[in-house]
Amino acid sequence: MDENAPIKVYMTKKLIGVKPDDTIQEACRVMVEFDIGSLVVVDNGNVVGFFTKSDIIRRVIVPGLAYNTPVAEIMSKELITVNVNTPLKKVLEIMAAKRIKHMLIEEGGKVVGIFTLSDLLEASRRKLETAISVE
């Protein structure tokens, strides 16, 4: 794995999302259906928020919020993004400093992908499989 490679090499391009007026329960169903830990919140084709498993625990379960509450009320509105050309090492430094597990990737002012620690593990697994097959 090349820590100087741009994050676009490792990111997932398929973004799965919900609308701001979708309920928390609907968002959780999508997360379970796709076996993912985060969703982008999209309004008129633009990413306007981010919703994670951590948000569910901290902003829904603990305070006892109703599951029919719109996602817009609990989503993170301040998006943490990096450019597609940011080196992997820098992205990991930002994630560690901000204590986050997901990073939104942008290009030209638009969110075009997501990078998670699972993406890093998958890249490591592929590299290991390649090394083993060469032996």
Side-chain angles (χ1 to χ4, degrees):
M1 190 165 6
D2 180 3
E3 65 183 25
N4 294 313
I7 197 64
K8 65 184 171 188
V9 171
Y10 301 103
M11 73 179 194
T12 299
K13 294 177 185 167
K14 184 177 180 183
L15 291 171
I16 299 174
V18 293
K19 297 177 196 159
D21 57 348
D22 286 343
T23 67
I24 293 166
Q25 188 168 35
E26 290 167 329
C28 289
R29 281 189 187 125
V30 171
M31 291 170 86
V32 169
E33 178 182 346
F34 290 95
D35 192 27
I36 55 177
S38 63
L39 296 168
V40 290
V41 183
V42 182
D43 192 19
N44 293 323
N46 295 311
V47 176
V48 296
F50 197 56
F51 180 72
T52 68
K53 286 181 183 178
S54 180
D55 292 329
I56 296 165
I57 294 167
R58 293 179 184 170
R59 299 178 183 165
V60 179
I61 303 296
V62 172
L65 201 58
Y67 298 159
N68 63 353
T69 302
V71 170
E73 289 189 25
I74 65 152
M75 69 183 186
S76 298
K77 293 175 185 146
E78 293 181 28
L79 303 177
I80 301 171
T81 65
V82 294
N83 183 276
V84 292
N85 294 311
T86 304
L88 171 63
K89 181 179 181 179
K90 179 69 176 167
V91 173
L92 293 173
E93 288 170 0
I94 293 168
M95 291 173 74
K98 297 195 178 282
R99 302 186 64 163
I100 57 175
K101 298 175 189 162
H102 311 83
M103 178 66 76
L104 295 172
I105 312 301
E106 61 89 16
E107 183 174 37
K110 268 191 105 87
V111 175
V112 295
I114 186 169
F115 173 77
T116 69
L117 296 179
S118 296
D119 294 323
L120 186 61
L121 293 172
E122 179 61 23
S124 295
R125 184 191 62 77
R126 283 193 312 267
K127 184 176 179 182
L128 180 61
E129 285 178 352
T130 302
I132 291 170
S133 68
V134 171
E135 291 179 358

